[in-house]
Amino acid sequence: MWIFGKEVLLPAGTILRVGGANRTVHLDRTKDRIKAARELHRDNHLRTTP
């Protein structure tokens, strides 16, 4: 998820609902908690293993 200029990986359980037409994601986290979340580094976190 991209937010506040960085990408963070949040647990799926934090999603409360997804808005329809505007595709807004509502979370059970405050902005401060999301800002403080560890940044996602795609090369490290999403690599595939053989």
Side-chain angles (χ1 to χ4, degrees), residues 2 10 14-15 21-23 27 31 35 41 44 47 50:
W2 177 88
L10 299 172
T14 63
I15 299 172
N22 60 2
R23 298 175 60 182
L27 305 171
K31 287 182 181 181
K35 286 180 184 179
H41 297 282
N44 296 334
R47 67 176 158 228

Side-chain angles (χ1 to χ4, degrees), residues 32-45:
D32 289 334
R33 281 189 73 187
I34 295 170
K35 286 180 184 179
R38 290 178 43 195
E39 189 166 358
L40 171 70
H41 297 282
R42 288 182 176 269
D43 294 340
N44 296 334
H45 293 101

Side-chain angles (χ1 to χ4, degrees), residues 9-27:
L9 186 62
L10 299 172
T14 63
I15 299 172
L16 296 174
R17 67 183 185 281
V18 178
N22 60 2
R23 298 175 60 182
T24 302
V25 178
H26 300 266
L27 305 171

